[in-house]
Amino acid sequence: MESVEKPRVRVVGEEKVKLKKSFVKPWMGIKYLFKKPVTIKIPYEKIEPAPKYRGFHTLDWKKCIGCNFCGQICPARAIEMTWIEVDGKVEKRPHPKVDYGRCTFCQFCVDVCPTGALGHVENYYLTTAGLEEDLQLYDWVPIDPKKVRELNEKFNDYRFPVERIKFNKETKEVTYYLRDGTEFKFKILGYGLKPPAAAKPKPAAKPAEKPAEKKEEPKSKEKKE
Amino acid sequence: MDMKEKPKVEEKVQGETTVEEKPTLPDTKEGKLVKALIEKAPYAEGEVIRERRIKFTVPVERIHEFLELASEKFEMLMQISVVDWLKEGQFEVTYQLWSVSESVHAFVKVRIPRDDAKLPTVMDIWPVAETYEREAHEFFGIVFEGNPRLGPFILEPREYEKHPLRKDFNTLSYVKTIYGEDFDRYDESKTNYVI
Ligand code: SF4
Ligand code: SF4
């Protein structure tokens, strides 16, 4: 065992790091009494988040191909594919719905998205009360990046771009009340990768009748899985 | 395992063949460390993984003896980690040793049967092993004979004796029994794995 050579380690002498105790030195801290305190007065001053600060998601609905790569990579399983109907037209592919109750803001989903549909903005403020309808805000299908940027330019306070989300359990109708007062409406037909029964007869889109039958089927399917 | 180990021991006793037989040991400090230890404990297999990483595989019945030998050079026990090999029905317990004087990390691996998981405690060599053994006991159900404090440690009482890190513990179904079938706030369910 003696044949093993010792690694050479540089050791700093103890006399260099050991300080002498002093009665006076603690009082030197008093000098900060007369300096400008290092604080940011948050309601009056602002901090700019770093560019590409990992905040809320944006989704380009035109680009998303519903591949569920984002749902597979999500470490918190915060992403659920959602079948959507906008203006009476069923989207061909499911879109991811992000649940901010689970999301860890790692943005793995943004990196993995093959089409670049999923992105993120620097917005990070989201506070609600504990009521059930307020909490709905934490569960959304991200909206178009352009809209979010536009809102950012208008308000520039890095808050969640949606003020209130109304989810009608009967008709499965979702309304986003955006911060500039506009509303954004669509319908959620079902969840998961398989298209819900309601979304199947796509070519013969009859938006008027669908909502009524829709609500039961996807729900029951969900439970089975 | 013993069957395979035994002939090797004899072989080594017979002559000096083993030293030449393993020219794989490089002429570095790791290689020398392994060689020195193997000479003292011929029942163990040793290899150099890479710089500063060496590995030993030891049969169960001589693990305590081996670790005692190893503790001359490896002053620190860093961790006892366990891998559950469900198909082979074995736990692979790895003692991770650190040599402060040589800066070498050694893995001492020992395989024990899953249904009768018993090991001698190494508290007498490294007192810190008490905590590591309690952890391995709680999460995998390995009994370290001689450790007086194998009892409830980290987990809640209702989880104790369930050994949640074993591969046959189904986390999702356990969570469902605790929090109900659907523990998601929103109307869909994110409880299945990759949807
Ligand atoms: S950022 Fe959120 S939704 Fe995206 S992968 Fe990470 S945890 Fe999942
Ligand atoms: S957001 Fe991107 S990764 Fe997710 S389903 Fe759409 S295309 Fe695929």
Side-chain angles (χ1 to χ4, degrees), chain B residues 22-89:
Chain B
K22 287 204 175 172
T24 44
L25 291 181
D27 192 26
T28 54
K29 71 173 173 189
E30 294 82 15
K32 282 175 197 158
L33 262 175
V34 174
K35 206 167 134 194
L37 211 54
I38 293 288
E39 265 165 24
K40 281 196 196 165
Y43 46 83
E45 288 168 43
E47 68 176 272
V48 177
I49 302 174
R50 58 177 170 86
E51 203 190 333
R52 297 197 193 173
R53 297 279 184 284
I54 60 181
K55 187 175 108 181
F56 296 99
T57 316
V58 187
V60 201
E61 60 271 22
R62 311 194 72 165
I63 178 72
H64 190 270
E65 191 185 326
F66 179 84
L67 286 174
E68 201 144 18
L69 269 178
S71 67
E72 284 173 18
K73 275 285 162 193
F74 295 90
E75 298 90 345
M76 229 170 105
L77 174 66
M78 293 206 294
Q79 194 182 15
I80 297 176
S81 57
V82 186
V83 182
D84 187 357
W85 297 101
L86 194 59
K87 276 196 197 126
E88 291 146 52

Coordinates of all heavy atoms in Angstrom, one line a residue, chain B residues 22-89:
Chain B
K22 N -4.5 -10.4 -14.2 CA -5.2 -9.1 -14.4 C -4.3 -8.0 -14.8 O -4.0 -7.2 -14.0 CB -5.9 -8.8 -13.0 CG -7.1 -9.7 -12.8 CD -8.0 -9.0 -11.8 CE -9.3 -9.8 -11.6 NZ -10.2 -9.3 -10.6
P23 N -3.9 -8.1 -16.0 CA -3.1 -6.9 -16.4 C -3.9 -5.7 -16.7 O -3.4 -4.7 -17.1 CB -2.4 -7.5 -17.7 CG -3.4 -8.5 -18.2 CD -4.3 -8.9 -17.1
T24 N -5.3 -5.9 -16.6 CA -6.2 -4.8 -16.9 C -6.0 -3.7 -15.9 O -6.4 -2.6 -16.2 CB -7.6 -5.3 -16.8 OG1 -7.8 -6.1 -15.6 CG2 -8.0 -6.1 -18.0
L25 N -5.5 -4.0 -14.7 CA -5.3 -2.9 -13.7 C -4.2 -2.0 -14.2 O -3.1 -2.4 -14.4 CB -4.9 -3.5 -12.4 CG -6.0 -4.3 -11.7 CD1 -5.5 -4.8 -10.4 CD2 -7.2 -3.5 -11.5
P26 N -4.5 -0.8 -14.4 CA -3.5 0.2 -15.0 C -2.5 0.5 -13.9 O -2.7 0.3 -12.7 CB -4.4 1.4 -15.4 CG -5.6 1.3 -14.5 CD -5.8 -0.1 -14.2
D27 N -1.4 1.1 -14.3 CA -0.4 1.4 -13.4 C -0.6 2.8 -12.9 O 0.3 3.7 -13.1 CB 1.0 1.3 -14.1 CG 2.1 1.3 -13.1 OD1 1.9 1.0 -11.9 OD2 3.2 1.7 -13.5
T28 N -1.7 3.0 -12.3 CA -2.0 4.4 -11.7 C -2.3 4.2 -10.2 O -2.2 3.1 -9.7 CB -3.2 5.0 -12.4 OG1 -4.3 4.0 -12.2 CG2 -3.0 5.3 -13.8
K29 N -2.6 5.3 -9.6 CA -2.8 5.1 -8.1 C -4.1 4.3 -7.9 O -4.2 3.5 -6.9 CB -2.9 6.5 -7.5 CG -4.2 7.2 -7.8 CD -4.3 8.5 -7.0 CE -5.4 9.3 -7.5 NZ -5.5 10.7 -6.9
E30 N -5.0 4.4 -8.8 CA -6.2 3.6 -8.7 C -5.9 2.1 -8.8 O -6.3 1.3 -8.0 CB -7.3 4.0 -9.7 CG -7.9 5.3 -9.5 CD -7.0 6.4 -10.2 OE1 -6.1 6.0 -10.9 OE2 -7.2 7.6 -9.9
G31 N -5.1 1.8 -9.9 CA -4.7 0.4 -10.1 C -4.0 -0.2 -8.9 O -4.2 -1.3 -8.5
K32 N -3.1 0.6 -8.4 CA -2.3 0.2 -7.2 C -3.2 -0.1 -6.0 O -3.0 -1.0 -5.3 CB -1.3 1.2 -6.9 CG -0.1 1.1 -7.8 CD 0.9 2.2 -7.5 CE 1.9 2.4 -8.7 NZ 2.5 3.7 -8.6
L33 N -4.2 0.8 -5.8 CA -5.1 0.6 -4.7 C -5.9 -0.7 -4.8 O -6.0 -1.4 -3.9 CB -6.1 1.8 -4.7 CG -5.8 3.0 -3.7 CD1 -6.8 4.1 -3.9 CD2 -5.8 2.5 -2.3
V34 N -6.4 -0.9 -6.0 CA -7.2 -2.1 -6.2 C -6.3 -3.3 -6.0 O -6.7 -4.2 -5.3 CB -7.8 -2.1 -7.6 CG1 -8.4 -3.4 -7.9 CG2 -8.7 -0.9 -7.8
K35 N -5.1 -3.3 -6.6 CA -4.2 -4.4 -6.5 C -3.9 -4.7 -5.0 O -3.9 -5.9 -4.5 CB -2.9 -4.1 -7.2 CG -2.2 -5.3 -7.7 CD -1.2 -4.9 -8.7 CE 0.1 -5.6 -8.4 NZ 1.2 -5.0 -9.2
A36 N -3.6 -3.7 -4.3 CA -3.2 -3.8 -2.9 C -4.3 -4.5 -2.1 O -4.1 -5.4 -1.2 CB -2.8 -2.5 -2.3
L37 N -5.5 -4.0 -2.4 CA -6.7 -4.5 -1.6 C -7.1 -5.9 -2.0 O -7.4 -6.8 -1.2 CB -7.9 -3.6 -1.9 CG -8.8 -3.5 -0.7 CD1 -8.1 -3.1 0.6 CD2 -9.9 -2.4 -1.0
I38 N -6.9 -6.2 -3.3 CA -7.3 -7.6 -3.8 C -6.3 -8.6 -3.3 O -6.6 -9.7 -3.0 CB -7.2 -7.6 -5.4 CG1 -8.4 -6.7 -5.9 CG2 -7.4 -9.0 -5.9 CD1 -9.7 -7.3 -5.8
E39 N -5.1 -8.2 -3.2 CA -4.1 -9.1 -2.6 C -4.5 -9.5 -1.2 O -4.3 -10.7 -0.8 CB -2.7 -8.5 -2.6 CG -1.9 -8.8 -3.9 CD -0.7 -7.9 -4.0 OE1 -0.2 -7.4 -3.0 OE2 -0.3 -7.8 -5.2
K40 N -4.9 -8.6 -0.4 CA -5.3 -8.9 0.9 C -6.7 -9.7 1.0 O -6.9 -10.5 1.9 CB -5.5 -7.6 1.7 CG -4.2 -7.0 2.2 CD -4.4 -6.0 3.2 CE -3.2 -5.2 3.4 NZ -3.6 -4.0 4.2
A41 N -7.5 -9.4 0.0 CA -8.8 -10.0 0.0 C -9.1 -10.7 -1.3 O -9.7 -10.1 -2.2 CB -9.9 -8.9 0.3
P42 N -8.6 -11.8 -1.5 CA -8.6 -12.4 -2.9 C -10.1 -12.8 -3.3 O -10.3 -13.1 -4.4 CB -7.7 -13.7 -2.8 CG -7.6 -13.9 -1.3 CD -7.8 -12.6 -0.6
Y43 N -11.0 -12.9 -2.3 CA -12.3 -13.2 -2.7 C -13.1 -12.1 -3.4 O -14.1 -12.3 -4.0 CB -13.1 -13.6 -1.4 CG -12.9 -12.6 -0.3 CD1 -13.7 -11.5 -0.2 CD2 -12.0 -12.9 0.7 CE1 -13.5 -10.6 0.8 CE2 -11.8 -12.0 1.7 CZ -12.5 -10.8 1.8 OH -12.3 -9.9 2.8
A44 N -12.5 -10.9 -3.4 CA -13.2 -9.8 -4.0 C -12.7 -9.6 -5.5 O -11.6 -10.0 -5.8 CB -13.0 -8.6 -3.2
E45 N -13.6 -9.1 -6.3 CA -13.2 -8.7 -7.6 C -13.0 -7.2 -7.6 O -13.9 -6.5 -7.1 CB -14.2 -9.1 -8.6 CG -14.3 -10.6 -8.9 CD -15.5 -10.9 -9.7 OE1 -15.8 -10.1 -10.7 OE2 -16.2 -11.9 -9.4
G46 N -12.0 -6.7 -8.2 CA -11.8 -5.3 -8.3 C -11.6 -4.8 -9.7 O -11.0 -5.6 -10.5
E47 N -12.0 -3.6 -10.0 CA -11.6 -3.1 -11.3 C -11.6 -1.5 -11.2 O -12.2 -1.0 -10.3 CB -12.6 -3.5 -12.3 CG -14.0 -2.9 -12.2 CD -14.9 -3.4 -13.3 OE1 -14.9 -2.6 -14.3 OE2 -15.6 -4.4 -13.2
V48 N -10.9 -1.0 -12.1 CA -10.8 0.5 -12.2 C -11.8 1.0 -13.2 O -11.8 0.5 -14.3 CB -9.4 0.9 -12.5 CG1 -9.3 2.4 -12.7 CG2 -8.4 0.4 -11.5
I49 N -12.7 1.8 -12.8 CA -13.7 2.3 -13.7 C -13.1 3.4 -14.6 O -13.1 3.4 -15.8 CB -14.9 2.8 -13.0 CG1 -15.6 1.7 -12.1 CG2 -16.0 3.3 -14.0 CD1 -16.7 2.2 -11.3
R50 N -12.6 4.4 -13.9 CA -11.8 5.5 -14.6 C -11.0 6.2 -13.5 O -10.9 5.7 -12.4 CB -12.8 6.4 -15.3 CG -13.8 7.1 -14.4 CD -14.7 8.0 -15.2 NE -15.8 8.5 -14.5 CZ -15.8 9.6 -13.7 NH1 -14.6 10.2 -13.4 NH2 -16.9 10.0 -13.1
E51 N -10.5 7.3 -13.9 CA -9.7 8.0 -12.9 C -10.6 8.3 -11.7 O -11.7 8.8 -11.7 CB -9.3 9.4 -13.5 CG -8.1 10.0 -12.9 CD -7.9 11.4 -13.4 OE1 -8.4 11.7 -14.5 OE2 -7.3 12.2 -12.6
R52 N -10.0 7.9 -10.5 CA -10.7 8.2 -9.2 C -11.9 7.4 -9.0 O -12.7 7.7 -8.1 CB -11.0 9.6 -9.0 CG -9.8 10.5 -9.1 CD -10.2 11.8 -8.5 NE -9.1 12.8 -8.8 CZ -9.2 14.0 -8.5 NH1 -10.3 14.5 -7.9 NH2 -8.2 14.8 -8.7
R53 N -12.2 6.4 -9.8 CA -13.4 5.6 -9.5 C -13.0 4.1 -9.6 O -12.5 3.7 -10.6 CB -14.5 5.8 -10.6 CG -15.0 7.1 -10.6 CD -16.1 7.4 -9.5 NE -16.7 8.7 -9.7 CZ -16.1 9.8 -9.3 NH1 -14.8 9.8 -8.8 NH2 -16.7 11.0 -9.5
I54 N -13.1 3.4 -8.5 CA -12.8 2.0 -8.5 C -14.0 1.2 -8.0 O -14.9 1.8 -7.3 CB -11.5 1.6 -7.7 CG1 -11.6 2.0 -6.3 CG2 -10.3 2.3 -8.4 CD1 -10.4 1.8 -5.5
K55 N -14.0 -0.1 -8.3 CA -15.2 -0.8 -8.0 C -14.8 -2.2 -7.5 O -13.9 -2.8 -8.1 CB -16.1 -1.0 -9.3 CG -17.4 -1.6 -9.1 CD -18.2 -1.6 -10.3 CE -18.3 -3.0 -10.9 NZ -19.0 -3.1 -12.1
F56 N -15.5 -2.7 -6.5 CA -15.2 -4.0 -6.0 C -16.6 -4.7 -5.9 O -17.6 -4.2 -5.6 CB -14.7 -4.0 -4.6 CG -13.3 -3.3 -4.5 CD1 -13.2 -2.0 -4.1 CD2 -12.2 -4.0 -4.8 CE1 -12.0 -1.4 -4.0 CE2 -10.9 -3.4 -4.7 CZ -10.8 -2.1 -4.3
T57 N -16.5 -6.0 -6.2 CA -17.7 -6.9 -6.0 C -17.3 -7.9 -5.0 O -16.3 -8.6 -5.2 CB -18.1 -7.5 -7.4 OG1 -18.0 -6.5 -8.4 CG2 -19.5 -8.0 -7.3
V58 N -18.1 -8.0 -4.0 CA -17.8 -8.9 -2.9 C -18.9 -9.8 -2.6 O -20.1 -9.4 -2.7 CB -17.5 -8.0 -1.6 CG1 -17.0 -8.8 -0.5 CG2 -16.5 -6.9 -2.0
P59 N -18.6 -11.1 -2.3 CA -19.7 -12.0 -1.9 C -20.3 -11.6 -0.5 O -19.6 -11.0 0.3 CB -19.1 -13.4 -1.8 CG -17.6 -13.1 -1.7 CD -17.4 -11.8 -2.4
V60 N -21.5 -11.9 -0.3 CA -22.2 -11.4 0.9 C -21.5 -11.8 2.2 O -21.4 -10.9 3.1 CB -23.7 -11.9 1.0 CG1 -24.5 -11.0 1.9 CG2 -24.3 -12.2 -0.3
E61 N -21.1 -13.0 2.3 CA -20.7 -13.5 3.6 C -19.4 -12.9 4.1 O -19.1 -12.9 5.2 CB -20.6 -15.0 3.6 CG -19.6 -15.6 2.6 CD -20.3 -15.8 1.2 OE1 -21.3 -15.2 0.9 OE2 -19.8 -16.7 0.5
R62 N -18.7 -12.2 3.1 CA -17.4 -11.7 3.6 C -17.4 -10.2 3.5 O -16.3 -9.5 3.5 CB -16.3 -12.2 2.7 CG -16.4 -13.8 2.7 CD -15.2 -14.4 2.1 NE -14.1 -14.3 3.0 CZ -13.0 -15.1 2.9 NH1 -12.9 -15.9 1.9 NH2 -12.0 -15.0 3.8
I63 N -18.6 -9.6 3.4 CA -18.6 -8.1 3.1 C -18.0 -7.3 4.3 O -17.3 -6.4 4.1 CB -20.1 -7.7 2.8 CG1 -20.2 -6.2 2.6 CG2 -21.1 -8.1 3.8 CD1 -19.5 -5.7 1.3
H64 N -18.4 -7.8 5.5 CA -17.9 -7.0 6.7 C -16.4 -7.1 6.8 O -15.7 -6.1 7.0 CB -18.6 -7.6 7.9 CG -18.3 -6.7 9.1 ND1 -17.2 -6.9 9.9 CD2 -19.0 -5.7 9.6 CE1 -17.3 -6.0 10.9 NE2 -18.4 -5.3 10.7
E65 N -15.9 -8.3 6.5 CA -14.4 -8.5 6.6 C -13.7 -7.6 5.5 O -12.8 -6.9 5.8 CB -14.2 -9.9 6.2 CG -12.8 -10.4 6.4 CD -12.8 -11.9 5.9 OE1 -13.8 -12.6 6.0 OE2 -11.8 -12.3 5.4
F66 N -14.3 -7.5 4.3 CA -13.8 -6.7 3.3 C -13.8 -5.2 3.6 O -12.8 -4.5 3.4 CB -14.5 -7.0 2.0 CG -14.0 -6.2 0.8 CD1 -12.9 -6.7 0.1 CD2 -14.5 -5.0 0.5 CE1 -12.3 -5.9 -0.9 CE2 -14.0 -4.3 -0.6 CZ -12.9 -4.7 -1.3
L67 N -14.9 -4.8 4.1 CA -15.0 -3.4 4.4 C -14.1 -3.0 5.5 O -13.5 -1.9 5.5 CB -16.5 -3.0 4.8 CG -17.5 -3.1 3.6 CD1 -18.9 -2.9 4.1 CD2 -17.1 -2.0 2.6
E68 N -13.9 -3.9 6.4 CA -12.9 -3.6 7.5 C -11.5 -3.4 6.9 O -10.8 -2.5 7.3 CB -12.9 -4.7 8.5 CG -12.4 -4.3 9.9 CD -13.1 -5.0 11.0 OE1 -13.8 -6.0 10.7 OE2 -13.1 -4.5 12.1
L69 N -11.2 -4.3 6.0 CA -9.9 -4.1 5.3 C -9.8 -2.8 4.5 O -8.8 -2.1 4.6 CB -9.7 -5.3 4.3 CG -9.0 -6.5 4.8 CD1 -9.0 -7.5 3.7 CD2 -7.6 -6.2 5.2
A70 N -10.9 -2.6 3.8 CA -10.9 -1.4 3.0 C -10.9 -0.1 3.8 O -10.4 0.9 3.4 CB -12.2 -1.4 2.1
S71 N -11.4 -0.2 5.0 CA -11.4 1.1 5.8 C -10.1 1.6 6.2 O -9.9 2.7 6.6 CB -12.3 0.8 7.1 OG -11.6 0.0 7.9
E72 N -9.0 0.8 6.0 CA -7.7 1.3 6.3 C -7.4 2.5 5.3 O -6.8 3.5 5.6 CB -6.7 0.2 6.0 CG -6.6 -0.8 7.1 CD -5.7 -1.9 6.8 OE1 -4.9 -1.8 5.8 OE2 -5.8 -3.0 7.4
K73 N -7.8 2.2 4.0 CA -7.5 3.2 3.0 C -8.6 4.2 2.8 O -8.5 5.3 2.4 CB -7.2 2.5 1.7 CG -5.7 2.1 1.6 CD -4.9 3.3 1.3 CE -3.4 3.0 1.6 NZ -2.6 4.2 1.7
F74 N -9.8 3.6 3.0 CA -11.0 4.5 2.7 C -11.6 4.9 4.0 O -12.3 4.1 4.7 CB -12.0 3.7 1.9 CG -11.5 3.3 0.5 CD1 -10.8 2.2 0.3 CD2 -11.6 4.2 -0.5 CE1 -10.2 1.9 -0.9 CE2 -11.1 4.0 -1.8 CZ -10.4 2.8 -2.0
E75 N -11.3 6.1 4.4 CA -11.7 6.5 5.8 C -13.1 6.9 5.9 O -13.7 7.0 7.0 CB -10.8 7.7 6.2 CG -9.3 7.5 6.2 CD -8.7 7.7 4.9 OE1 -9.4 7.9 3.9 OE2 -7.4 7.8 4.9
M76 N -13.7 7.2 4.8 CA -15.1 7.7 4.8 C -16.1 6.8 4.1 O -15.8 6.3 3.0 CB -15.1 9.1 4.1 CG -15.7 10.2 4.8 SD -15.3 11.7 4.0 CE -16.8 12.0 3.2
L77 N -17.2 6.6 4.8 CA -18.3 6.0 4.1 C -19.3 7.1 3.7 O -19.8 7.8 4.5 CB -19.0 5.0 5.1 CG -20.3 4.4 4.6 CD1 -20.0 3.5 3.4 CD2 -21.0 3.6 5.7
M78 N -19.5 7.2 2.4 CA -20.3 8.4 1.9 C -21.7 8.1 1.8 O -22.6 8.9 2.0 CB -19.8 8.8 0.6 CG -18.4 9.4 0.6 SD -18.1 10.5 -0.7 CE -18.1 9.4 -2.1
Q79 N -22.0 6.8 1.5 CA -23.5 6.5 1.2 C -23.6 5.0 1.1 O -22.7 4.3 0.7 CB -23.9 7.2 -0.1 CG -25.4 7.2 -0.3 CD -25.7 7.8 -1.6 OE1 -24.9 8.0 -2.5 NE2 -27.0 8.2 -1.7
I80 N -24.8 4.6 1.5 CA -25.1 3.2 1.1 C -26.3 3.3 0.2 O -27.4 3.7 0.6 CB -25.5 2.4 2.4 CG1 -24.3 2.3 3.3 CG2 -26.0 1.0 2.0 CD1 -24.6 1.6 4.6
S81 N -26.1 2.9 -1.0 CA -27.2 3.0 -2.0 C -27.6 1.6 -2.4 O -26.8 0.7 -2.4 CB -26.7 3.8 -3.2 OG -25.6 3.3 -3.8
V82 N -28.9 1.5 -2.7 CA -29.4 0.2 -3.0 C -30.1 0.3 -4.4 O -30.8 1.3 -4.7 CB -30.5 -0.2 -2.0 CG1 -30.9 -1.6 -2.2 CG2 -29.9 -0.1 -0.6
V83 N -29.9 -0.7 -5.2 CA -30.7 -0.8 -6.4 C -31.5 -2.1 -6.4 O -31.0 -3.1 -5.9 CB -29.7 -0.9 -7.7 CG1 -30.5 -1.0 -8.9 CG2 -28.8 0.3 -7.7
D84 N -32.7 -2.0 -6.8 CA -33.6 -3.2 -6.7 C -33.6 -3.8 -8.1 O -34.1 -3.2 -9.0 CB -35.0 -2.7 -6.3 CG -35.9 -3.9 -6.0 OD1 -35.4 -5.0 -6.3 OD2 -37.0 -3.7 -5.6
W85 N -33.1 -5.0 -8.2 CA -33.2 -5.7 -9.5 C -34.3 -6.7 -9.4 O -34.1 -7.8 -8.9 CB -31.9 -6.4 -9.8 CG -30.8 -5.4 -10.0 CD1 -29.8 -5.1 -9.1 CD2 -30.5 -4.6 -11.2 NE1 -28.9 -4.2 -9.7 CE2 -29.3 -3.9 -10.9 CE3 -31.1 -4.5 -12.4 CZ2 -28.8 -3.0 -11.8 CZ3 -30.6 -3.6 -13.3 CH2 -29.5 -2.8 -13.0
L86 N -35.4 -6.3 -9.9 CA -36.7 -7.1 -9.6 C -36.6 -8.4 -10.3 O -37.0 -9.5 -9.8 CB -37.9 -6.3 -10.1 CG -39.2 -6.7 -9.6 CD1 -39.3 -6.8 -8.1 CD2 -40.3 -5.9 -10.2
K87 N -36.1 -8.4 -11.6 CA -36.2 -9.7 -12.3 C -35.2 -10.7 -11.8 O -35.5 -11.9 -11.8 CB -35.8 -9.4 -13.8 CG -37.0 -8.9 -14.6 CD -36.7 -9.0 -16.1 CE -37.7 -8.1 -16.8 NZ -37.1 -7.2 -17.7
E88 N -34.1 -10.2 -11.3 CA -33.1 -11.2 -10.7 C -33.4 -11.5 -9.3 O -32.8 -12.3 -8.7 CB -31.7 -10.6 -10.8 CG -31.2 -10.5 -12.3 CD -30.3 -9.3 -12.5 OE1 -29.4 -9.1 -11.8 OE2 -30.6 -8.6 -13.5
G89 N -34.4 -10.8 -8.7 CA -34.7 -11.0 -7.3 C -33.6 -10.7 -6.4 O -33.4 -11.3 -5.4

